[in-house]
Coordinates of all heavy atoms in Angstrom, one line a residue:
M1 N 14.9 24.1 38.8 CA 15.7 23.9 37.6 C 16.1 25.3 37.1 O 15.2 26.1 36.9 CB 14.8 23.1 36.6 CG 15.5 22.7 35.3 SD 14.5 21.9 34.1 CE 14.6 20.3 34.7
S2 N 17.3 25.4 36.7 CA 17.8 26.7 36.2 C 17.6 26.8 34.7 O 17.3 25.8 34.0 CB 19.3 26.9 36.6 OG 20.0 26.0 35.9
L3 N 17.8 28.0 34.3 CA 17.7 28.3 32.9 C 18.7 27.5 32.0 O 18.5 27.0 31.0 CB 17.8 29.8 32.6 CG 17.7 30.2 31.1 CD1 16.4 29.9 30.5 CD2 18.0 31.7 31.0
L4 N 19.9 27.4 32.6 CA 21.0 26.7 31.9 C 20.7 25.2 31.8 O 20.9 24.6 30.7 CB 22.3 26.8 32.7 CG 23.5 26.1 32.1 CD1 23.8 26.7 30.7 CD2 24.7 26.3 33.0
E5 N 20.1 24.6 32.8 CA 19.6 23.2 32.7 C 18.5 23.0 31.6 O 18.5 22.0 30.9 CB 19.1 22.7 34.1 CG 20.2 22.6 35.1 CD 19.7 22.3 36.5 OE1 18.5 22.6 36.8 OE2 20.4 21.7 37.3
C6 N 17.6 23.9 31.6 CA 16.6 23.8 30.5 C 17.2 23.9 29.1 O 16.8 23.2 28.2 CB 15.6 25.0 30.7 SG 14.5 24.7 32.1
L7 N 18.1 24.9 29.0 CA 18.7 25.0 27.7 C 19.5 23.8 27.2 O 19.5 23.3 26.1 CB 19.7 26.3 27.6 CG 18.9 27.6 27.6 CD1 19.9 28.7 27.8 CD2 18.0 27.8 26.5
V8 N 20.3 23.2 28.2 CA 21.0 22.0 27.9 C 20.1 20.8 27.6 O 20.3 20.1 26.6 CB 21.9 21.6 29.2 CG1 22.5 20.2 29.0 CG2 23.0 22.6 29.3
G9 N 19.0 20.7 28.3 CA 18.0 19.7 28.1 C 17.4 19.8 26.7 O 17.2 18.9 26.0
I10 N 17.0 21.0 26.3 CA 16.4 21.3 25.0 C 17.4 21.0 23.9 O 17.1 20.4 22.9 CB 15.9 22.8 24.9 CG1 14.7 23.0 25.8 CG2 15.6 23.1 23.5 CD1 14.3 24.4 26.0
T11 N 18.7 21.4 24.1 CA 19.7 21.1 23.1 C 19.9 19.6 22.9 O 20.0 19.1 21.8 CB 21.0 21.8 23.5 OG1 20.8 23.2 23.7 CG2 22.1 21.5 22.5
L12 N 20.0 18.9 24.0 CA 20.2 17.4 23.9 C 19.0 16.8 23.3 O 19.1 15.9 22.5 CB 20.4 16.8 25.3 CG 21.8 17.1 25.9 CD1 21.8 16.5 27.4 CD2 22.9 16.5 25.1
Y13 N 17.8 17.2 23.6 CA 16.6 16.7 23.0 C 16.6 16.9 21.5 O 16.2 16.1 20.7 CB 15.4 17.4 23.7 CG 14.0 17.0 23.2 CD1 13.5 15.8 23.5 CD2 13.3 17.8 22.3 CE1 12.2 15.4 22.9 CE2 12.1 17.5 21.8 CZ 11.6 16.3 22.1 OH 10.3 15.9 21.6
A14 N 17.0 18.1 21.1 CA 17.0 18.5 19.7 C 18.1 17.6 18.9 O 17.9 17.1 17.8 CB 17.3 19.9 19.4
L15 N 19.2 17.4 19.6 CA 20.3 16.6 19.0 C 19.9 15.1 18.8 O 20.2 14.5 17.9 CB 21.6 16.7 19.8 CG 22.3 18.0 19.7 CD1 23.5 18.1 20.7 CD2 22.8 18.3 18.3
L16 N 19.1 14.6 19.8 CA 18.7 13.2 19.7 C 17.5 13.0 18.8 O 17.4 12.0 18.2 CB 18.3 12.8 21.1 CG 19.5 12.6 22.1 CD1 19.0 12.2 23.4 CD2 20.5 11.6 21.6
L17 N 16.7 14.0 18.7 CA 15.5 13.9 17.9 C 15.7 14.2 16.5 O 14.9 13.6 15.6 CB 14.4 14.8 18.5 CG 12.9 14.5 18.1 CD1 12.5 13.1 18.5 CD2 12.0 15.6 18.7
N18 N 16.6 15.0 16.1 CA 16.9 15.4 14.7 C 17.1 14.2 13.8 O 16.5 14.1 12.8 CB 18.0 16.4 14.7 CG 18.2 17.0 13.3 OD1 17.1 17.2 12.6 ND2 19.3 17.4 12.9
P19 N 18.0 13.3 14.1 CA 18.2 12.1 13.2 C 16.9 11.3 13.1 O 16.7 10.7 12.0 CB 19.3 11.3 13.9 CG 20.0 12.2 14.8 CD 19.0 13.2 15.2
L20 N 16.2 11.2 14.1 CA 14.9 10.4 14.0 C 13.9 11.1 13.1 O 13.3 10.4 12.4 CB 14.3 10.2 15.4 CG 15.1 9.3 16.4 CD1 14.4 9.3 17.8 CD2 15.2 7.9 15.9
L21 N 13.8 12.4 13.2 CA 12.9 13.1 12.3 C 13.4 13.0 10.9 O 12.6 12.9 10.0 CB 12.8 14.6 12.8 CG 12.1 14.8 14.1 CD1 12.1 16.3 14.5 CD2 10.6 14.4 14.0
K22 N 14.7 13.1 10.7 CA 15.2 13.0 9.3 C 14.9 11.6 8.7 O 14.5 11.5 7.6 CB 16.8 13.3 9.3 CG 17.3 13.7 8.1 CD 18.8 14.0 8.2 CE 19.0 15.5 8.5 NZ 20.4 15.8 8.4
A23 N 15.2 10.6 9.5 CA 14.9 9.2 9.0 C 13.4 9.0 8.7 O 13.0 8.4 7.8 CB 15.4 8.2 10.1
S24 N 12.6 9.6 9.6 CA 11.1 9.5 9.4 C 10.7 10.2 8.1 O 9.9 9.7 7.4 CB 10.4 10.1 10.6 OG 9.0 10.1 10.4
A25 N 11.3 11.3 7.8 CA 10.9 12.0 6.5 C 11.4 11.2 5.3 O 10.6 11.1 4.3 CB 11.6 13.4 6.6
Q26 N 12.6 10.7 5.4 CA 13.0 9.8 4.3 C 12.2 8.6 4.1 O 11.8 8.2 3.0 CB 14.5 9.4 4.5 CG 15.5 10.5 4.4 CD 16.9 10.1 4.8 OE1 17.1 9.0 5.3 NE2 17.9 10.9 4.5
L27 N 11.8 8.0 5.2 CA 10.9 6.8 5.1 C 9.5 7.1 4.5 O 9.0 6.4 3.7 CB 10.6 6.3 6.6 CG 9.8 5.0 6.6 CD1 10.5 3.9 5.9 CD2 9.6 4.6 8.1
E28 N 9.0 8.3 4.9 CA 7.7 8.8 4.3 C 7.9 9.0 2.8 O 7.0 8.7 2.0 CB 7.3 10.1 5.0 CG 6.0 10.7 4.5 CD 4.8 9.8 4.8 OE1 4.8 9.1 5.8 OE2 3.8 9.9 4.1
K29 N 9.0 9.6 2.4 CA 9.2 9.8 1.0 C 9.3 8.5 0.2 O 8.7 8.4 -0.9 CB 10.5 10.6 0.8 CG 10.8 11.0 -0.7 CD 12.1 11.8 -0.7 CE 12.5 12.2 -2.1 NZ 13.7 12.9 -2.2
K30 N 10.1 7.5 0.7 CA 10.2 6.2 0.1 C 8.8 5.5 0.0 O 8.5 4.9 -1.0 CB 11.1 5.3 0.9 CG 12.6 5.8 0.8 CD 13.2 5.4 -0.6 CE 14.6 5.8 -0.6 NZ 15.2 5.6 -1.9
Q31 N 8.0 5.7 1.1 CA 6.7 5.1 1.1 C 5.8 5.7 0.0 O 5.1 4.9 -0.7 CB 6.0 5.3 2.5 CG 4.6 4.7 2.6 CD 4.7 3.1 2.5 OE1 5.6 2.5 2.9 NE2 3.5 2.6 2.1
M32 N 5.8 6.9 -0.2 CA 5.1 7.6 -1.2 C 5.5 7.1 -2.6 O 4.7 6.9 -3.5 CB 5.2 9.1 -1.1 CG 4.4 9.7 0.1 SD 4.7 11.4 0.3 CE 4.0 12.1 -1.2
E33 N 6.8 7.0 -2.8 CA 7.4 6.5 -4.1 C 6.9 5.1 -4.4 O 6.5 4.7 -5.5 CB 8.9 6.6 -4.1 CG 9.4 8.0 -4.2 CD 11.0 8.0 -4.1 OE1 11.6 6.9 -4.0 OE2 11.5 9.1 -4.0
Y34 N 6.9 4.2 -3.3 CA 6.5 2.9 -3.5 C 5.0 2.8 -3.8 O 4.6 2.0 -4.7 CB 6.8 2.1 -2.2 CG 6.3 0.7 -2.1 CD1 6.9 -0.3 -2.8 CD2 5.1 0.4 -1.4 CE1 6.5 -1.6 -2.8 CE2 4.6 -0.9 -1.4 CZ 5.3 -1.9 -2.1 OH 4.8 -3.2 -2.1
E35 N 4.2 3.6 -3.2 CA 2.8 3.5 -3.4 C 2.4 4.0 -4.8 O 1.6 3.5 -5.5 CB 2.0 4.4 -2.4 CG 2.0 3.7 -1.0 CD 1.3 4.7 0.0 OE1 0.8 5.8 -0.3 OE2 1.3 4.2 1.2
K36 N 3.2 5.0 -5.3 CA 3.0 5.6 -6.7 C 3.4 4.5 -7.7 O 2.6 4.3 -8.6 CB 3.9 6.8 -6.9 CG 3.6 7.4 -8.3 CD 4.6 8.6 -8.5 CE 4.0 9.9 -8.0 NZ 4.8 11.1 -8.4
T37 N 4.5 3.8 -7.5 CA 4.9 2.7 -8.3 C 3.9 1.6 -8.4 O 3.5 1.1 -9.4 CB 6.3 2.1 -8.0 OG1 7.2 3.2 -7.9 CG2 6.8 1.0 -8.8
Q38 N 3.4 1.2 -7.2 CA 2.4 0.1 -7.1 C 1.1 0.6 -7.9 O 0.4 -0.2 -8.5 CB 2.1 -0.2 -5.7 CG 3.2 -0.9 -5.0 CD 3.5 -2.3 -5.6 OE1 2.6 -3.0 -6.1 NE2 4.8 -2.6 -5.8
S39 N 0.7 1.8 -7.7 CA -0.5 2.3 -8.4 C -0.3 2.3 -9.9 O -1.2 1.8 -10.7 CB -0.8 3.8 -8.0 OG -1.8 4.3 -8.7
L40 N 0.9 2.7 -10.4 CA 1.1 2.6 -11.9 C 1.1 1.1 -12.4 O 0.6 0.9 -13.4 CB 2.5 3.2 -12.2 CG 2.5 4.7 -12.1 CD1 4.0 5.2 -12.2 CD2 1.7 5.4 -13.1
I41 N 1.7 0.2 -11.6 CA 1.7 -1.2 -12.0 C 0.3 -1.7 -12.1 O -0.1 -2.4 -13.0 CB 2.6 -2.0 -11.0 CG1 4.0 -1.7 -11.2 CG2 2.3 -3.5 -11.2 CD1 4.9 -2.3 -10.1
S42 N -0.5 -1.3 -11.0 CA -1.9 -1.8 -11.0 C -2.7 -1.2 -12.2 O -3.5 -1.9 -12.8 CB -2.6 -1.3 -9.7 OG -3.9 -1.6 -9.7
E43 N -2.5 0.0 -12.5 CA -3.1 0.7 -13.7 C -2.7 0.0 -15.0 O -3.5 -0.3 -15.9 CB -2.9 2.1 -13.7 CG -3.6 2.9 -12.6 CD -3.3 4.4 -12.7 OE1 -2.7 4.9 -13.6 OE2 -3.6 5.0 -11.7
A44 N -1.4 -0.3 -15.2 CA -1.0 -1.0 -16.4 C -1.5 -2.4 -16.5 O -2.0 -2.8 -17.6 CB 0.5 -1.1 -16.4
D45 N -1.6 -3.1 -15.4 CA -2.2 -4.4 -15.4 C -3.6 -4.4 -15.8 O -4.1 -5.2 -16.6 CB -2.1 -5.1 -14.0 CG -2.4 -6.5 -14.0 OD1 -2.1 -7.2 -14.9 OD2 -3.1 -7.0 -13.0
R46 N -4.4 -3.4 -15.3 CA -5.8 -3.3 -15.7 C -6.0 -2.9 -17.1 O -6.8 -3.4 -17.8 CB -6.4 -2.1 -14.8 CG -7.8 -1.9 -15.1 CD -8.7 -2.9 -14.7 NE -10.1 -2.5 -15.0 CZ -11.1 -3.3 -15.3 NH1 -10.9 -4.6 -15.3 NH2 -12.3 -2.9 -15.5
A47 N -5.0 -2.1 -17.7 CA -5.1 -1.7 -19.1 C -4.8 -2.9 -20.0 O -5.6 -3.1 -21.0 CB -4.1 -0.6 -19.4
F48 N -3.8 -3.8 -19.6 CA -3.6 -5.0 -20.4 C -4.8 -5.9 -20.3 O -5.2 -6.6 -21.3 CB -2.3 -5.6 -19.9 CG -1.1 -5.0 -20.4 CD1 -0.1 -4.6 -19.5 CD2 -0.9 -4.7 -21.7 CE1 1.0 -4.0 -20.0 CE2 0.3 -4.1 -22.2 CZ 1.2 -3.7 -21.3
E49 N -5.4 -6.0 -19.2 CA -6.6 -6.9 -19.0 C -7.7 -6.4 -19.9 O -8.4 -7.2 -20.6 CB -7.0 -6.9 -17.6 CG -8.2 -7.7 -17.3 CD -8.7 -7.6 -15.8 OE1 -7.8 -7.5 -14.9 OE2 -9.9 -7.8 -15.6
L50 N -8.0 -5.1 -20.0 CA -9.0 -4.6 -20.8 C -8.7 -4.7 -22.3 O -9.5 -5.0 -23.1 CB -9.3 -3.1 -20.5 CG -9.9 -2.8 -19.1 CD1 -9.9 -1.3 -18.9 CD2 -11.3 -3.4 -19.0
M51 N -7.5 -4.6 -22.7 CA -7.0 -4.8 -24.1 C -7.2 -6.2 -24.5 O -7.7 -6.5 -25.6 CB -5.6 -4.3 -24.3 CG -5.4 -2.8 -24.4 SD -3.8 -2.3 -24.9 CE -2.7 -3.1 -23.7
G52 N -6.9 -7.1 -23.6 CA -7.1 -8.6 -23.9 C -8.5 -8.9 -24.1 O -8.9 -9.7 -24.9
R53 N -9.3 -8.4 -23.1 CA -10.8 -8.6 -23.3 C -11.3 -8.1 -24.6 O -12.2 -8.7 -25.2 CB -11.5 -8.0 -22.0 CG -12.9 -8.4 -22.0 CD -13.6 -7.7 -20.8 NE -13.0 -8.1 -19.5 CZ -13.1 -7.5 -18.4 NH1 -13.9 -6.4 -18.4 NH2 -12.5 -7.9 -17.3
A54 N -10.9 -6.9 -24.9 CA -11.4 -6.3 -26.2 C -11.0 -7.1 -27.4 O -11.8 -7.4 -28.3 CB -10.9 -4.9 -26.3
I55 N -9.7 -7.7 -27.4 CA -9.3 -8.5 -28.5 C -10.1 -9.8 -28.5 O -10.5 -10.2 -29.6 CB -7.8 -8.8 -28.3 CG1 -7.0 -7.5 -28.6 CG2 -7.3 -9.9 -29.3 CD1 -5.5 -7.6 -28.3
R56 N -10.4 -10.4 -27.4 CA -11.2 -11.6 -27.4 C -12.6 -11.4 -27.8 O -13.2 -12.2 -28.5 CB -11.2 -12.3 -25.9 CG -9.9 -13.0 -25.6 CD -10.0 -13.8 -24.4 NE -10.3 -13.0 -23.2 CZ -9.4 -12.3 -22.5 NH1 -8.2 -12.3 -22.8 NH2 -9.8 -11.6 -21.4
M57 N -13.1 -10.3 -27.4 CA -14.5 -9.9 -27.8 C -14.6 -9.6 -29.3 O -15.6 -9.8 -29.9 CB -15.0 -8.7 -27.0 CG -15.3 -9.0 -25.6 SD -15.8 -7.6 -24.6 CE -17.4 -7.2 -25.4
A58 N -13.5 -9.2 -29.9 CA -13.5 -9.0 -31.4 C -13.4 -10.2 -32.2 O -13.5 -10.2 -33.4 CB -12.3 -8.1 -31.7
G59 N -13.3 -11.4 -31.5 CA -13.3 -12.7 -32.2 C -12.0 -13.3 -32.5 O -11.9 -14.2 -33.2
Y60 N -10.9 -12.8 -31.8 CA -9.6 -13.4 -32.1 C -9.5 -14.8 -31.5 O -9.9 -15.0 -30.4 CB -8.5 -12.5 -31.5 CG -7.1 -13.1 -31.6 CD1 -6.4 -13.1 -32.8 CD2 -6.5 -13.7 -30.5 CE1 -5.2 -13.7 -32.9 CE2 -5.3 -14.3 -30.5 CZ -4.6 -14.3 -31.8 OH -3.4 -14.9 -31.8
Q61 N -9.0 -15.7 -32.2 CA -8.8 -17.1 -31.7 C -7.3 -17.5 -32.0 O -6.9 -17.3 -33.2 CB -9.7 -18.0 -32.4 CG -11.2 -17.8 -32.0 CD -12.1 -18.8 -32.7 OE1 -11.7 -19.5 -33.6 NE2 -13.3 -18.8 -32.2
N62 N -6.6 -17.9 -31.1 CA -5.3 -18.3 -31.2 C -5.2 -19.7 -32.0 O -5.8 -20.7 -31.6 CB -4.5 -18.5 -29.9 CG -3.1 -18.6 -30.0 OD1 -2.6 -18.8 -31.1 ND2 -2.4 -18.6 -28.9
I63 N -4.6 -19.8 -33.2 CA -4.6 -20.9 -34.0 C -3.9 -22.1 -33.3 O -4.4 -23.3 -33.4 CB -3.8 -20.6 -35.3 CG1 -4.5 -19.5 -36.1 CG2 -3.6 -21.9 -36.1 CD1 -5.6 -19.9 -37.0
K64 N -2.9 -21.9 -32.5 CA -2.2 -22.9 -31.8 C -3.1 -23.6 -30.8 O -2.9 -24.9 -30.5 CB -1.0 -22.4 -31.1 CG 0.1 -21.9 -32.1 CD 1.3 -21.3 -31.3 CE 2.3 -20.8 -32.3 NZ 3.4 -20.1 -31.6
T65 N -4.0 -22.9 -30.2 CA -4.9 -23.5 -29.2 C -6.2 -23.9 -29.7 O -7.0 -24.5 -29.0 CB -5.0 -22.6 -27.9 OG1 -5.6 -21.4 -28.3 CG2 -3.7 -22.3 -27.3
Y66 N -6.5 -23.6 -30.9 CA -7.9 -23.9 -31.5 C -8.0 -25.4 -31.9 O -7.1 -25.9 -32.5 CB -8.0 -23.0 -32.7 CG -9.4 -23.1 -33.3 CD1 -10.5 -22.6 -32.7 CD2 -9.7 -23.8 -34.5 CE1 -11.8 -22.6 -33.2 CE2 -10.9 -23.9 -35.0 CZ -11.9 -23.3 -34.4 OH -13.2 -23.4 -34.9
Q67 N -9.0 -26.0 -31.4 CA -9.2 -27.4 -31.7 C -10.1 -27.5 -32.9 O -11.2 -27.0 -33.0 CB -9.9 -28.1 -30.5 CG -9.1 -28.1 -29.2 CD -7.9 -28.9 -29.3 OE1 -8.0 -30.0 -30.0 NE2 -6.9 -28.6 -28.6
F68 N -9.6 -28.2 -34.0 CA -10.4 -28.4 -35.2 C -11.2 -29.7 -35.0 O -10.7 -30.7 -34.5 CB -9.4 -28.6 -36.4 CG -8.7 -27.3 -36.8 CD1 -7.4 -27.2 -36.4 CD2 -9.4 -26.4 -37.4 CE1 -6.7 -26.0 -36.7 CE2 -8.7 -25.2 -37.8 CZ -7.4 -25.0 -37.4
T69 N -12.5 -29.7 -35.3 CA -13.3 -30.8 -35.1 C -13.8 -31.4 -36.5 O -13.8 -30.7 -37.4 CB -14.5 -30.5 -34.3 OG1 -15.3 -29.4 -34.8 CG2 -14.0 -30.2 -32.8

């Protein structure tokens, strides 16, 4: 194998691999954004759950659902 064949092979390899690497980097970035969004949603859900529990523990009763006996 000559030096020219090696250079041509390396060039073709780089030309074919570059778009794949670029797409992989973009996919990784999107995945990180998605995970961050899901984490924020999970934290907000937990915060609302804790606030609701605190309100119920404070003795709040919804008049519409309260049964008078």
Side-chain angles (χ1 to χ4, degrees):
M1 186 181 274
S2 69
L3 180 61
L4 182 60
E5 290 172 336
C6 286
L7 291 174
V8 169
I10 291 171
T11 303
L12 287 175
Y13 178 74
L15 288 174
L16 292 175
L17 196 59
N18 190 31
L20 294 175
L21 291 174
K22 200 178 266 189
S24 177
Q26 290 174 348
L27 183 63
E28 179 70 24
K29 184 178 177 182
K30 291 283 185 188
Q31 180 68 25
M32 289 174 61
E33 290 174 4
Y34 175 75
E35 288 177 2
K36 183 185 268 188
T37 302
Q38 289 299 322
S39 176
L40 289 173
I41 290 171
S42 177
E43 289 176 14
D45 190 40
R46 178 71 176 148
F48 284 126
E49 181 182 328
L50 291 173
M51 286 190 301
R53 187 180 302 162
I55 290 170
R56 283 190 300 278
M57 288 177 66
Y60 174 77
Q61 294 178 350
N62 191 350
I63 300 275
K64 293 179 183 176
T65 60
Y66 186 71
Q67 298 291 328
F68 293 101
T69 55

